[in-house]
Amino acid sequence: MIGRRHHLVIDATDPQVAAAFWSAVLGDPVTYDDGDFVVVSADEETSGMAFQRAADLPDPTWPDPAVPQQMHVDVMVEDVAAAGARVVALGAHHLEDDVYADPAGHPFCLIRRPRWAPPLDAG
């Protein structure tokens, strides 16, 4: 091993909106916000997702390759259909099948929890 993951850093035109969305989806709080860089993680000493301001970032057009997806997150859930309704209520857009886009347009997939993963709290 050379190192460990710190944060998945994602460009966003509005890092606060992106962080609030992923905070609600994953149940982790916003642990840092300097206006241009916002972190969502379990606590201030845990790796997570970070969003950095990129004012002129074009929205992804997936599945059209004109503007690539720029990043992709798989989110494990107990019930894909129920989770789909919940992420849409938070501001996601349904793209196709189990693929959604966050408010900034970044695609993500809802996947049924694999057998190897412990059950998720339904909360």
Side-chain angles (χ1 to χ4, degrees):
M1 177 175 75
I2 294 173
R4 293 189 319 248
R5 175 184 51 85
H6 181 50
H7 296 307
L8 168 63
V9 180
I10 302 165
D11 289 347
T13 55
D14 189 333
Q16 286 75 21
V17 168
F21 174 83
W22 285 104
S23 173
V25 169
L26 300 175
D28 286 334
V30 170
T31 57
Y32 179 82
D33 183 348
D34 75 1
D36 290 320
F37 192 83
V38 184
V39 175
V40 173
S41 59
D43 56 50
E44 293 178 355
E45 297 176 351
T46 303
S47 297
M49 296 174 74
F51 303 89
Q52 65 183 5
R53 187 173 308 281
D56 297 323
L57 182 70
D59 289 345
T61 57
W62 187 93
D64 178 354
V67 179
Q69 63 182 342
Q70 302 168 354
M71 69 98 188
H72 180 91
V73 176
D74 283 345
V75 180
M76 71 171 78
V77 298
E78 294 293 335
D79 180 328
V80 172
R86 291 179 69 191
V87 298
V88 167
L90 290 171
H93 303 283
H94 183 239
L95 298 178
E96 65 179 41
D97 301 323
D98 298 330
V99 183
Y100 295 79
D102 71 11
H106 297 110
F108 66 97
C109 290
L110 298 176
I111 61 167
R112 176 126 176 96
R113 176 183 53 84
R115 287 191 309 257
W116 54 262
L120 300 165
D121 180 12

